[in-house]
Amino acid sequence: MILIGLGYGCKGGAATAALASDAAKRVYVAPGEKDEVYAFLSGGFSGQMSVYGIPSTRLFKIIPVFSVFPENGYGYDEETKNMLRTTNGYVPWDDSHHIEASMTDGKQDGRWLFMNANNSPRLARIDLRSFETKEIIEIPNSAGNHASPFATENTEYLMAATRFSVPIPQASVPIENFSKGDFKGTVSMVKVDPKSGRLSIELQILVPGFDYDLSHCGKGKSHDWCFFTSYNSEQAYKMIEVGASKNDKDYILAFNWVRAKQCLDQGKASNFGGEYYRNYLPENQPAISEKLSGVKMLQPKDCPGVMYYMPTPKSPHGTDVDPTGEYIVGGGKLATVIPVHSFSKLMDVKDKPEHRSGMIMDIPILKYESTLAGEVKKPCLGPLHTEFDGKGYAYTSCFVSSEVVKWELGTWEVEQHLPAYYSVGHLSIVGGSSKDPYGKYLIALNKITKDRYLPVGMELPQSAQLYDISGGKAELLSDFPTVGEPHYSQMIPAKLLMDKAAKIYPLEENKHPYAIKNEKDARVVREGNTVRVYMTQIRSHFKPDTIEVRSGDTVFFHVTNLEQDFDIPHGFAVGGAPEMPNLLIMPGQTRTFKWKAPKPGIYPFYCTDFCSALHQEMQQYIRVLP
Amino acid sequence: MKIIKNIIKFGKITPVLLGLIAFSYCGKEKPAEAESSVGSKGIGPVTSVTLGTLDEGMAQKGKQNFETKCSACHKFEEKVVGPALKGVTERRTPEWIMNMILNPMEMTQKDPIAQELLAEHLTQMTFQNVQESEAREILEYLRKMDKK
Ligand SMILES: [Cu+2]
């Protein structure tokens, strides 16, 4: 009612969500047929990433990233537990938000995905051959790594900026000093090695103590720049919900990363503290965890031209760059317009004093109108985040009025209101944040699911909605429950990934220090109170098959799966092991189960992944002697 | 899960196999088709192999591969997981042996002898990512063992 009164086109809510008449046919993927697109969804508070097929919306896999995963032993075994090391110790959970796909020349290249962890500031790299997490780097001098990991056009760098500003370096100061400027944020440039994908922190830039929310980097003509939204320019520290909503405009920070790198090379950054871990999982070997210390820190005052503030209404969330690199779309969650900045205008006015309205920490503030390309007027309530279809249209999610609005770049006219249920956050279009969107499917990632599915207690699954945007009008096709909060997503055409997916770990390439490649080498070796069991698995037996240890021994089962056949992992579980869950060991892989031999007795161990007609016989005993 | 997959595929196949199932589960007579396949080259990439005098170098390479990829399931003198291999080069054609190494899944679905062996041993032979040249070397090693 209120919405209609205000003149918004949508009537709001799930009741009006019209389904395409032949929707069932358009999402039906017949048995044995493959989906057209992979959708990778972040898991929010689950800390994981999930993989769906589009248009069927079938769930294929959960890739463990920042949270332990007892289903396959990630984060528990001797090989992967170091992946979750941080300067705060072993942190077996995180809050994961955004997924970025690696790009070459602004286009998805199918090599890696990156995902951030907001809570213990971290970034992860997921390999798209094995669909496994290969590297996790901690971000020092940061509290809450939210505005990340947004990649530059050739994945030269990933950007990471602080959600919660804090004293940098950390110090116990009165919290009210926040408003006196004692709290700061940082923008980190994380370098991605173009061959190996290895991550390293090349530079940090100290920025004013706002809350940095989201980012996107430029493309084409705006290649050198990345754009960060910030909220709480009020620097409120109490009742932030109210205190951070006072200013009519906050800022998009325009950051010239090429210039920053230049200043680094000219020696304008100084040595700064900050300890962090970098954890790397080499192919089929134990993770290597390094503790690193110190970064290069740049102050904006020492590098003129590196940053500018573009005022943006109001408490902006998304900052999204269109495929041409010209338009920077803000999503002011409390704004009544969708503001669009022009990159060309930014270039034109950035160094002209008459276009400035002030400075913060030596960063020029430009006038709102000076960089403005246009405004989409009264689009909806609570515009958040925008994706592009590559055909001249943009789609913006609206949290408060629960809808997606389609509008045209250049005319700024709203073309369509698409009802969403309920409280939509991010959107994702296949390739929609790249230079070359594939443009056919859009998913809306929703926060709340009330009344869509059978109730399952107090909490319902969160959900996503699938739309077909290939025709003139976008059409709703289906909706599906998700794993955790589907915070952001990247969708990648299947043809870019499916043929290069790994099938096995080749045994001859297995360089694990405790691998054995031959049943003849299976053995038990005692080193004092430590016992190493060099074990093999193949359908449907273990070697050695009976084992004797002494109570109190520390036993390492180094288990190598000798299979070289696609889709034949074996499991490994020991009865009543309090510290270790199941392991799933891929064909040709070696993983290690650490076990403190308990009180004397007979303990079974067995394979947990149904592997053959004699799977149930894939079981043996450990005798624990007094 | 994987075994279910196998059974489904099993169910799809020819009357030969149905006969075989009847044989293995109900103790009926062996299907006639299985007999007629003796001397068969099997199904797979290998259609013709010319054997010369035993090549010691090849046999040595074959031994190494055999130990890594085959010996967990096959011994020469006794059945372990799979059948004992003593005399295999006399029982089967060289092509059949290589196809069984290179294409075990299709072999156990379509080749009468392989079907019968699966019914007897009940464990699907695994493809161990062996290349065709390596399969030839393994064959040479099997020949060598049979000449002993
Ligand atoms: Cu098993």
Tab-separated table of all heavy atoms in Angstrom, chain A residues 138-142 160 162 168 185-190 201-207 255 260 264 269-270 272-274 276 294-300 307:
chain	number	residue	atom	x	y	z
A	138	GLU	N	46.026	-14.619	5.417
A	138	GLU	CA	45.434	-13.726	6.404
A	138	GLU	C	45.757	-12.290	5.999
A	138	GLU	O	46.823	-12.033	5.415
A	138	GLU	CB	46.064	-14.048	7.769
A	138	GLU	CG	45.288	-13.564	8.946
A	138	GLU	CD	45.952	-13.970	10.271
A	138	GLU	OE1	47.014	-14.645	10.265
A	138	GLU	OE2	45.394	-13.586	11.326
A	139	ILE	N	44.856	-11.356	6.258
A	139	ILE	CA	45.112	-9.952	5.933
A	139	ILE	C	45.482	-9.233	7.233
A	139	ILE	O	44.643	-9.123	8.128
A	139	ILE	CB	43.868	-9.278	5.306
A	139	ILE	CG1	43.304	-10.109	4.148
A	139	ILE	CG2	44.205	-7.855	4.867
A	139	ILE	CD1	44.171	-10.169	2.913
A	140	PRO	N	46.734	-8.761	7.341
A	140	PRO	CA	47.135	-8.075	8.573
A	140	PRO	C	46.583	-6.647	8.603
A	140	PRO	O	46.088	-6.148	7.590
A	140	PRO	CB	48.665	-8.057	8.466
A	140	PRO	CG	48.938	-8.044	6.994
A	140	PRO	CD	47.818	-8.820	6.346
A	141	ASN	N	46.667	-6.007	9.730
A	141	ASN	CA	46.229	-4.608	9.880
A	141	ASN	C	44.815	-4.424	9.341
A	141	ASN	O	44.525	-3.480	8.620
A	141	ASN	CB	47.197	-3.658	9.155
A	141	ASN	CG	48.630	-3.849	9.625
A	141	ASN	OD1	48.883	-3.875	10.835
A	141	ASN	ND2	49.557	-4.029	8.701
A	142	SER	N	43.962	-5.331	9.686
A	142	SER	CA	42.579	-5.293	9.215
A	142	SER	C	41.700	-5.912	10.290
A	142	SER	O	42.129	-6.802	11.009
A	142	SER	CB	42.453	-6.090	7.916
A	142	SER	OG	41.093	-6.220	7.551
A	160	ALA	N	41.366	-5.861	-0.921
A	160	ALA	CA	40.756	-6.247	0.358
A	160	ALA	C	40.746	-5.014	1.254
A	160	ALA	O	41.794	-4.412	1.484
A	160	ALA	CB	41.559	-7.367	1.010
A	162	THR	N	39.017	-2.995	4.873
A	162	THR	CA	38.536	-3.230	6.233
A	162	THR	C	37.070	-2.869	6.417
A	162	THR	O	36.681	-1.745	6.143
A	162	THR	CB	39.331	-2.306	7.179
A	162	THR	OG1	40.679	-2.363	6.794
A	162	THR	CG2	39.202	-2.715	8.595
A	168	ILE	N	45.167	1.217	14.066
A	168	ILE	CA	46.188	0.479	13.293
A	168	ILE	C	47.529	1.170	13.492
A	168	ILE	O	47.661	2.324	13.108
A	168	ILE	CB	45.802	0.443	11.801
A	168	ILE	CG1	44.535	-0.420	11.638
A	168	ILE	CG2	46.931	-0.143	10.964
A	168	ILE	CD1	43.971	-0.421	10.242
A	185	GLY	N	41.227	2.532	8.547
A	185	GLY	CA	41.010	1.357	7.711
A	185	GLY	C	42.235	1.123	6.843
A	185	GLY	O	43.136	1.967	6.788
A	186	THR	N	42.262	-0.020	6.186
A	186	THR	CA	43.333	-0.262	5.211
A	186	THR	C	42.734	-0.851	3.934
A	186	THR	O	41.720	-1.540	3.977
A	186	THR	CB	44.391	-1.272	5.728
A	186	THR	OG1	43.717	-2.445	6.214
A	186	THR	CG2	45.247	-0.680	6.821
A	187	VAL	N	43.403	-0.516	2.847
A	187	VAL	CA	43.129	-1.192	1.586
A	187	VAL	C	44.368	-2.030	1.287
A	187	VAL	O	45.493	-1.512	1.330
A	187	VAL	CB	42.895	-0.173	0.448
A	187	VAL	CG1	42.842	-0.869	-0.908
A	187	VAL	CG2	41.608	0.617	0.690
A	188	SER	N	44.176	-3.314	1.021
A	188	SER	CA	45.316	-4.200	0.745
A	188	SER	C	45.312	-4.598	-0.717
A	188	SER	O	44.266	-4.907	-1.281
A	188	SER	CB	45.243	-5.472	1.586
A	188	SER	OG	45.152	-5.147	2.950
A	189	MET	N	46.493	-4.583	-1.292
A	189	MET	CA	46.667	-5.111	-2.647
A	189	MET	C	47.326	-6.480	-2.522
A	189	MET	O	48.485	-6.591	-2.149
A	189	MET	CB	47.558	-4.167	-3.472
A	189	MET	CG	46.818	-2.888	-3.887
A	189	MET	SD	47.878	-1.597	-4.586
A	189	MET	CE	48.669	-2.432	-5.947
A	190	VAL	N	46.543	-7.517	-2.814
A	190	VAL	CA	47.060	-8.885	-2.715
A	190	VAL	C	47.434	-9.333	-4.120
A	190	VAL	O	46.582	-9.423	-5.008
A	190	VAL	CB	46.001	-9.825	-2.105
A	190	VAL	CG1	46.536	-11.249	-2.015
A	190	VAL	CG2	45.566	-9.313	-0.732
A	201	ILE	N	50.909	-10.346	-0.081
A	201	ILE	CA	50.469	-8.979	0.174
A	201	ILE	C	51.560	-8.037	-0.290
A	201	ILE	O	52.664	-8.035	0.251
A	201	ILE	CB	50.138	-8.791	1.658
A	201	ILE	CG1	48.905	-9.636	1.972
A	201	ILE	CG2	49.862	-7.313	1.979
A	201	ILE	CD1	48.566	-9.748	3.392
A	202	GLU	N	51.237	-7.256	-1.315
A	202	GLU	CA	52.270	-6.392	-1.876
A	202	GLU	C	52.275	-5.027	-1.208
A	202	GLU	O	53.330	-4.441	-0.992
A	202	GLU	CB	52.063	-6.231	-3.379
A	202	GLU	CG	53.164	-5.405	-4.012
A	202	GLU	CD	53.415	-5.789	-5.445
A	202	GLU	OE1	53.801	-6.951	-5.674
A	202	GLU	OE2	53.217	-4.938	-6.320
A	203	LEU	N	51.106	-4.536	-0.882
A	203	LEU	CA	51.044	-3.166	-0.370
A	203	LEU	C	49.752	-2.969	0.402
A	203	LEU	O	48.718	-3.552	0.054
A	203	LEU	CB	51.084	-2.177	-1.555
A	203	LEU	CG	51.045	-0.684	-1.230
A	203	LEU	CD1	52.292	-0.256	-0.462
A	203	LEU	CD2	50.904	0.151	-2.512
A	204	GLN	N	49.846	-2.144	1.464
A	204	GLN	CA	48.625	-1.682	2.130
A	204	GLN	C	48.608	-0.160	2.106
A	204	GLN	O	49.660	0.485	2.122
A	204	GLN	CB	48.556	-2.174	3.573
A	204	GLN	CG	48.350	-3.685	3.663
A	204	GLN	CD	47.988	-4.156	5.064
A	204	GLN	OE1	48.644	-3.781	6.033
A	204	GLN	NE2	46.956	-4.973	5.163
A	205	ILE	N	47.412	0.415	2.058
A	205	ILE	CA	47.256	1.860	2.080
A	205	ILE	C	46.377	2.189	3.272
A	205	ILE	O	45.303	1.609	3.449
A	205	ILE	CB	46.613	2.389	0.773
A	205	ILE	CG1	47.501	2.029	-0.419
A	205	ILE	CG2	46.428	3.902	0.814
A	205	ILE	CD1	47.103	0.808	-1.155
A	206	LEU	N	46.851	3.121	4.090
A	206	LEU	CA	46.101	3.523	5.277
A	206	LEU	C	45.019	4.515	4.862
A	206	LEU	O	45.318	5.508	4.194
A	206	LEU	CB	47.054	4.173	6.282
A	206	LEU	CG	46.581	4.209	7.728
A	206	LEU	CD1	46.521	2.797	8.319
A	206	LEU	CD2	47.498	5.091	8.569
A	207	VAL	N	43.783	4.252	5.233
A	207	VAL	CA	42.670	5.116	4.804
A	207	VAL	C	41.834	5.539	6.008
A	207	VAL	O	41.937	4.930	7.089
A	207	VAL	CB	41.797	4.404	3.737
A	207	VAL	CG1	42.540	4.295	2.416
A	207	VAL	CG2	41.348	3.038	4.225
A	255	PHE	N	40.205	4.453	-6.264
A	255	PHE	CA	41.585	4.121	-5.901
A	255	PHE	C	42.360	3.720	-7.154
A	255	PHE	O	41.992	2.774	-7.849
A	255	PHE	CB	41.552	2.977	-4.877
A	255	PHE	CG	42.870	2.312	-4.642
A	255	PHE	CD1	44.003	3.053	-4.327
A	255	PHE	CD2	42.985	0.920	-4.703
A	255	PHE	CE1	45.223	2.424	-4.108
A	255	PHE	CE2	44.199	0.292	-4.471
A	255	PHE	CZ	45.324	1.050	-4.181
A	260	ALA	N	49.376	3.519	-7.094
A	260	ALA	CA	49.854	3.034	-5.785
A	260	ALA	C	51.102	2.178	-5.959
A	260	ALA	O	52.087	2.313	-5.220
A	260	ALA	CB	48.758	2.250	-5.073
A	264	LEU	N	54.877	2.756	-4.603
A	264	LEU	CA	55.634	1.704	-3.907
A	264	LEU	C	57.022	1.561	-4.544
A	264	LEU	O	58.044	1.539	-3.850
A	264	LEU	CB	54.873	0.371	-3.979
A	264	LEU	CG	55.604	-0.865	-3.474
A	264	LEU	CD1	55.762	-0.827	-1.955
A	264	LEU	CD2	54.886	-2.158	-3.875
A	269	ALA	N	56.328	4.049	0.136
A	269	ALA	CA	55.665	3.300	1.202
A	269	ALA	C	56.701	2.985	2.263
A	269	ALA	O	57.884	2.864	1.968
A	269	ALA	CB	55.073	2.021	0.639
A	270	SER	N	56.261	2.893	3.511
A	270	SER	CA	57.239	2.598	4.557
A	270	SER	C	56.963	1.241	5.199
A	270	SER	O	55.864	0.687	5.092
A	270	SER	CB	57.233	3.702	5.598
A	270	SER	OG	55.912	4.002	5.947
A	272	PHE	N	56.000	-1.318	7.819
A	272	PHE	CA	54.965	-1.257	8.836
A	272	PHE	C	54.849	-2.645	9.428
A	272	PHE	O	55.206	-3.637	8.797
A	272	PHE	CB	53.645	-0.830	8.150
A	272	PHE	CG	52.617	-0.260	9.086
A	272	PHE	CD1	52.620	1.089	9.397
A	272	PHE	CD2	51.632	-1.082	9.646
A	272	PHE	CE1	51.658	1.626	10.247
A	272	PHE	CE2	50.678	-0.548	10.498
A	272	PHE	CZ	50.681	0.804	10.801
A	273	GLY	N	54.336	-2.711	10.643
A	273	GLY	CA	54.182	-4.022	11.296
A	273	GLY	C	52.996	-4.784	10.736
A	273	GLY	O	52.373	-4.378	9.757
A	274	GLY	N	52.678	-5.856	11.422
A	274	GLY	CA	51.539	-6.669	11.020
A	274	GLY	C	51.983	-8.090	10.744
A	274	GLY	O	52.809	-8.329	9.878
A	276	TYR	N	50.985	-12.106	9.883
A	276	TYR	CA	49.908	-12.847	9.225
A	276	TYR	C	50.409	-14.203	8.770
A	276	TYR	O	51.609	-14.408	8.579
A	276	TYR	CB	49.333	-12.046	8.049
A	276	TYR	CG	50.314	-11.695	6.945
A	276	TYR	CD1	50.309	-12.398	5.740
A	276	TYR	CD2	51.221	-10.652	7.087
A	276	TYR	CE1	51.178	-12.072	4.708
A	276	TYR	CE2	52.110	-10.324	6.066
A	276	TYR	CZ	52.080	-11.041	4.883
A	276	TYR	OH	52.948	-10.718	3.875
A	294	GLY	N	55.241	-8.066	8.814
A	294	GLY	CA	55.514	-6.750	8.232
A	294	GLY	C	54.972	-6.593	6.833
A	294	GLY	O	54.918	-7.544	6.046
A	295	VAL	N	54.542	-5.369	6.526
A	295	VAL	CA	54.059	-5.029	5.191
A	295	VAL	C	54.641	-3.675	4.803
A	295	VAL	O	55.214	-2.967	5.631
A	295	VAL	CB	52.518	-4.912	5.147
A	295	VAL	CG1	51.859	-6.240	5.419
A	295	VAL	CG2	52.012	-3.845	6.121
A	296	LYS	N	54.473	-3.316	3.550
A	296	LYS	CA	54.739	-1.962	3.087
A	296	LYS	C	53.432	-1.190	3.203
A	296	LYS	O	52.400	-1.653	2.693
A	296	LYS	CB	55.217	-1.976	1.633
A	296	LYS	CG	56.616	-2.529	1.473
A	296	LYS	CD	57.643	-1.510	1.923
A	296	LYS	CE	59.065	-2.008	1.629
A	296	LYS	NZ	60.075	-1.105	2.220
A	297	MET	N	53.487	-0.036	3.867
A	297	MET	CA	52.268	0.755	4.075
A	297	MET	C	52.436	2.111	3.402
A	297	MET	O	53.456	2.791	3.594
A	297	MET	CB	52.025	0.948	5.577
A	297	MET	CG	50.750	1.694	5.935
A	297	MET	SD	49.248	0.703	5.699
A	297	MET	CE	49.270	-0.285	7.203
A	298	LEU	N	51.440	2.491	2.637
A	298	LEU	CA	51.458	3.780	1.931
A	298	LEU	C	50.454	4.719	2.579
A	298	LEU	O	49.328	4.312	2.884
A	298	LEU	CB	51.091	3.545	0.461
A	298	LEU	CG	51.197	4.728	-0.495
A	298	LEU	CD1	52.649	5.181	-0.674
A	298	LEU	CD2	50.584	4.371	-1.853
A	299	GLN	N	50.871	5.972	2.792
A	299	GLN	CA	49.942	7.007	3.266
A	299	GLN	C	49.482	7.788	2.040
A	299	GLN	O	50.325	8.203	1.230
A	299	GLN	CB	50.669	7.977	4.217
A	299	GLN	CG	51.458	7.328	5.335
A	299	GLN	CD	50.609	6.979	6.545
A	299	GLN	OE1	49.466	7.419	6.642
A	299	GLN	NE2	51.156	6.177	7.443
A	300	PRO	N	48.179	8.043	1.916
A	300	PRO	CA	47.693	8.779	0.738
A	300	PRO	C	48.406	10.119	0.533
A	300	PRO	O	48.636	10.539	-0.607
A	300	PRO	CB	46.208	8.977	1.042
A	300	PRO	CG	45.862	7.865	1.968
A	300	PRO	CD	47.098	7.588	2.775
A	307	MET	N	44.054	8.474	-4.644
A	307	MET	CA	42.679	8.249	-4.175
A	307	MET	C	41.847	9.508	-4.250
A	307	MET	O	42.360	10.621	-4.042
A	307	MET	CB	42.684	7.801	-2.708
A	307	MET	CG	43.135	6.387	-2.503
A	307	MET	SD	43.266	5.984	-0.755
A	307	MET	CE	43.475	4.216	-0.896
